[in-house]
Structures are given as structure tokens and as C-alpha cells.
Amino acid sequence: MNVNALYRPQLTGLKAPSFDLNLTHPSHIAFQRESFMGQGARIAEMGQKIGAGAVTAGSGTFEQAMLQALDKVSADQQTSSALHQAALIDPDSVNVHDITIAQAQARMSLDISRNLINRMVQSWRDLINTR
């Protein structure tokens, strides 16, 4: 009996992007050019939403951008702490998954900011020592 004939997984609820594909060779897949024509504006708009322009859009200087980023790190830490305290006071009021996600987000933002500050200090030391 063929096992593959019995088991056929069904993917429901997933929306795959619709790309026009031409299979030219089993190891090569070529996209049709027409499916991507006119998408430059959408790509540029996405870059403004998630790129470096989005980070510095509201702030004029590097200092202001760094202070805003550190405020976000502080807010993540405070959110995690508040959820943890709420879980201690009334365990049924907070979902455990929300606490775990908030703690992971706070830890990741703190690690990223720590690495960024360490890199900036190391770069400053390299600049000073190259003189």
C-alpha cells in the first residue's frame, strides 16, 4: 500500500502570494516580468515604512533618534515589569504567553541596544587610537 496516497495534507487559511512562475528547467524557476511591473512605488513605500527613513522621519538628528530608541527600550522593560507584577497580584488577569512575549521583546531590545552602544564605543576607541 502506498503511504503517500493515503496522507494528503491540506493547507487551509493560508494565502500564498500569487506570482506567475514559468518552470523552464527543474532546477530553474523564472518569474514573468509583467507580474512585477509597476511595483516600484509599492517597494519604495514599504522602504519608507520599515527602513531607515522610518526611524529618523520624526527626528532630525542622530541624538534624537537614539534617545527615541532608548525610550522604546525603556517602555518595553516597563511593559514587561508591569505584566509580571499583574501576574503576581492576579494570575487570572494576564495570559502567560503575553508575559513571555513581553519579556522576550524587552530582553531582545535591551540586547540590541547594548550591542549598538558597545559597537559605538569600540568605534570611538578605534578612531582615537588611529591618530
Side-chain angles (χ1 to χ4, degrees):
M1 180 182 290
N2 188 355
V3 176
N4 291 334
L6 295 177
Y7 178 69
R8 292 184 183 154
Q10 299 292 322
L11 298 176
T12 59
L14 298 176
K15 292 230 177 206
S18 60
F19 294 118
D20 299 326
L21 300 176
N22 289 332
L23 189 60
T24 57
H25 188 271
S27 63
H28 300 102
I29 295 177
F31 291 99
Q32 286 184 359
R33 224 181 129 180
E34 292 80 22
S35 65
F36 293 106
M37 296 299 285
Q39 299 297 321
R42 289 181 57 203
I43 293 172
E45 180 182 323
M46 188 184 314
Q48 290 299 319
K49 288 181 182 176
I50 63 173
V55 174
T56 59
S59 60
T61 65
F62 179 74
E63 177 187 9
Q64 291 172 345
M66 286 300 297
L67 289 175
Q68 287 176 355
L70 290 176
D71 287 342
K72 175 76 170 87
V73 170
S74 177
D76 288 344
Q77 295 288 327
Q78 290 172 359
T79 301
S80 174
S81 178
L83 284 174
H84 192 264
Q85 287 177 3
L88 290 175
I89 295 170
D90 185 18
D92 294 332
S93 68
V94 180
N95 191 352
V96 176
H97 301 293
D98 293 337
I99 296 170
T100 306
I101 290 169
Q103 287 177 343
Q105 186 175 0
R107 186 180 313 116
M108 187 183 342
S109 63
L110 185 64
D111 288 343
I112 289 171
S113 62
R114 184 181 326 136
N115 287 334
L116 180 66
I117 291 170
N118 287 341
R119 295 277 177 123
M120 288 185 344
V121 168
Q122 184 62 40
S123 299
W124 180 255
R125 286 180 183 160
D126 290 345
L127 282 172
I128 296 300
N129 290 333
T130 54
R131 283 205 247 160

